Amino acid sequence: MHKESIQYWHNPILPEVELSRANFKRFQFDSHVHLDYHIGVVSSGCQQYSHRGRAYHLGPGLISALNPDETHNGQSDTSDGYQVHVMSVPYHYVSQISREMRQTEGFFHTPLINDPHLYNAFLTLHLMLTQHQSNLSSLQLETSMLAFTTELFLRHGNVPQQVEDRNNALSQSQIKQVMAMFHDDPGQEFRLETLANNVGLSKFQFLRKFKQSIGMTPHAYLKRVRLEYAKKALIKGGSVADIAHQVGFFDQSHLNKAFKQAYLITPANFQRRVV
């Protein structure tokens, strides 16, 4: 049984992205529009909404994708109500992606998308941006947001899928420059914009080219680098908590989780076996 409620968030890393989670049972949205791209999913129950004279049913596994200035409404499709998670993405954010992909404007072709992979990716991203998690870096949040938005428009917008080639990769000098930054000071807090600026690229270009070159996102690569340095430090001895901070993890708990996920053993147990 759902209770009428709604919560709003603005993550300081992506302050222009508006996020909300709501439970609705009797509340109905009158016809309205949004200034931004309006992306939403239902995690339980079902929402019904009208768009351009046609009725749509938004249930678990589906994504509602509405362009700016498109009139729609909304209400529960069942007597038990529904829970909905929404993200409003600024027009200029999507426009930047469109320009990078050599398109004039990002535009969803349909207001209802059936894509289980992106449905789960959206819920994961929404949770990352709305929960207070001190162990999430700005690089991770920016990368996740940009990757999700780009993939959403590549699959379901007017941006065509492009064939990747080595021309979309970083040059060897650019790779060396980025790697030097990561390895010289793995404990540093990196921003996607800073990394991109250092090799003369936009954030979008850098993320795409880095992944094409290395096979991982910058955040995933940096996380693994930090874990490798943590292993070396653990072998030399010392406090697990101190080592966590030295290599860029927020605390011992953060290192424990990442280390066990990567190596199937906790840092403390690893240290006991090798020291």
Side-chain angles (χ1 to χ4, degrees):
M1 188 70 68
H2 288 283
K3 182 179 180 181
E4 310 281 346
S5 65
I6 187 166
Q7 293 176 283
Y8 290 97
W9 294 268
H10 283 89
N11 190 290
I13 304 301
L14 298 163
E16 294 180 283
V17 176
E18 182 180 292
L19 302 130
S20 64
R21 183 178 67 238
N23 292 295
F24 295 127
K25 184 177 180 182
R26 298 184 180 86
F27 181 80
Q28 299 183 19
F29 290 96
D30 294 329
S31 294
H32 63 284
V33 299
H34 299 284
L35 298 178
D36 300 328
Y37 293 86
H38 207 65
I39 306 165
V41 307
V42 163
S43 55
S44 64
C46 184
Q47 182 196 49
Q48 175 183 307
Y49 62 96
S50 297
H51 176 272
R52 294 184 176 179
R54 182 178 173 182
Y56 293 89
H57 300 270
L58 179 65
L62 303 173
I63 302 173
S64 172
L66 301 172
N67 298 301
D69 286 325
E70 288 188 340
T71 303
H72 59 284
N73 58 16
Q75 63 186 43
S76 179
D77 193 45
T78 68
S79 60
D80 291 332
Y82 63 99
Q83 182 175 78
V84 62
H85 309 251
V86 176
M87 177 186 297
S88 295
V89 183
Y91 178 82
H92 67 81
Y93 188 91
V94 176
S95 294
Q96 176 64 26
I97 293 176
S98 299
R99 287 194 296 271
E100 298 285 0
M101 300 299 292
R102 297 183 176 86
Q103 295 294 310
T104 56
E105 182 181 6
F107 187 82
F108 292 122
H109 291 305
T110 174
L112 191 64
I113 295 170
N114 185 356
D115 191 323
H117 166 74
L118 284 177
Y119 171 85
N120 290 324
F122 177 89
L123 283 175
T124 299
L125 177 61
H126 195 281
L127 182 63
M128 289 169 60
L129 293 173
T130 55
Q131 283 201 341
H132 177 68
Q133 300 183 54
S134 60
N135 61 347
L136 296 179
S137 67
S138 59
L139 180 61
Q140 180 178 5
L141 293 177
E142 288 183 284
T143 299
S144 299
M145 179 65 190
L146 187 56
F148 170 80
T149 309
T150 301
E151 188 173 4
L152 181 63
F153 277 91
L154 281 173
R155 292 192 183 201
H156 304 287
N158 66 339
V159 180
Q161 181 73 51
Q162 296 187 354
V163 178
E164 295 284 358
D165 57 40
R166 296 312 298 178
N167 292 328
N168 286 328
L170 295 172
S171 67
Q172 286 301 311
S173 62
Q174 288 174 320
I175 292 174
K176 289 180 180 179
Q177 189 173 348
V178 175
M179 297 310 180
M181 294 175 64
F182 286 159
H183 287 273
D184 289 348
D185 188 6
Q188 179 181 336
E189 171 70 11
F190 294 94
R191 295 295 299 267
L192 188 60
E193 185 173 12
T194 303
L195 294 170
N197 287 341
N198 280 337
V199 291
L201 298 172
S202 69
K203 292 191 293 185
F204 177 90
Q205 290 171 324
F206 175 74
L207 180 60
R208 184 169 52 136
K209 287 175 177 287
F210 188 97
K211 191 171 183 179
Q212 173 67 10
S213 304
I214 309 302
M216 308 168 70
T217 65
H219 170 259
Y221 177 84
L222 176 60
K223 182 179 179 181
R224 188 68 184 200
V225 166
R226 286 170 167 167
L227 287 170
E228 290 295 305
Y229 279 115
K231 283 177 70 178
K232 293 182 180 299
L234 288 166
I235 292 172
K236 295 179 181 179
S239 162
V240 176
D242 289 342
I243 291 171
H245 289 291
Q246 290 169 14
V247 300
F249 289 93
F250 291 94
D251 53 31
Q252 184 172 341
S253 176
H254 186 206
L255 173 60
N256 285 345
K257 182 178 179 180
F259 199 94
K260 189 171 182 179
Q261 185 177 40
Y263 305 120
L264 302 180
I265 190 173
T266 65
N269 284 336
F270 173 82
Q271 191 176 53
R272 279 194 290 268
R273 293 187 181 187
V274 297
V275 174

